[in-house]
Amino acid sequence: MIIDHFGLAVGNYEQSRAFYTEALAPLGIEPILEIDGWVGFGRFGKPEFWFGEQADRQLPMHFAFTAESRAAVDAFHRAALAAGGTDNGAPGLRENYHPHYYGAFVVDPDGHNIEAVCHAPDG
């Protein structure tokens, strides 16, 4: 990853925490640390994706989480929808990016376009 970590201001901490806990679990991403009203999600004990509740939020953004397999992308999409996300692109190949780009898109409770992507040929 070229970025050490990033953070978002969310409108409802508990709603976002519940959404991301469920949506990111299939990707092996989980809450690692909570401090001063913020929670950091990551893998292997390193929080990389942070958010906390604030009145001033970012305009909707797009960000993608890596998935180890296409099955994990599919599971992310199902979990994110079950957690209250809105479909913004079903799992599938996006060959306009490259021949093995397999992604799925969901809009989170704050309007951000969240993606899971696998770059493996047969992932």
Side-chain angles (χ1 to χ4, degrees), residues 28-85:
I29 300 170
E30 62 187 1
I32 305 263
L33 181 63
E34 289 187 78
I35 187 167
D36 296 330
W38 286 71
V39 60
F41 282 70
R43 291 185 186 119
F44 313 115
K46 183 184 183 303
E48 297 177 31
F49 167 54
W50 288 86
F51 62 80
E53 188 172 326
Q54 293 182 332
D56 294 327
R57 297 182 308 238
Q58 291 86 5
L59 293 174
M61 299 170 40
H62 168 74
F63 48 93
F65 293 96
T66 57
E68 296 297 317
S69 67
R70 292 178 182 183
V73 171
D74 296 344
F76 156 81
H77 190 257
R78 285 190 305 274
L81 293 179

Side-chain angles (χ1 to χ4, degrees), residues 91-103:
L93 286 170
R94 292 346 193 246
E95 293 177 331
N96 53 319
Y97 299 139
H98 70 72
H100 307 296
Y101 194 108
Y102 189 89

Side-chain angles (χ1 to χ4, degrees), residues 4 13 26 34 37 41 55 58 79 89-90 92 105 117:
D4 182 71
Y13 178 84
E34 289 187 78
F41 282 70
Q58 291 86 5
F105 304 83
V117 60

Side-chain angles (χ1 to χ4, degrees), residues 8 15-17 22 27-28 32 36-37 47 55 57 73 83 86 101-102 109-110 115 117 121:
L8 293 175
Q15 180 184 31
S16 292
R17 191 181 193 296
E22 187 171 338
L27 305 177
I32 305 263
D36 296 330
R57 297 182 308 238
V73 171
T86 304
Y101 194 108
Y102 189 89
D110 285 292
E115 177 184 2
V117 60

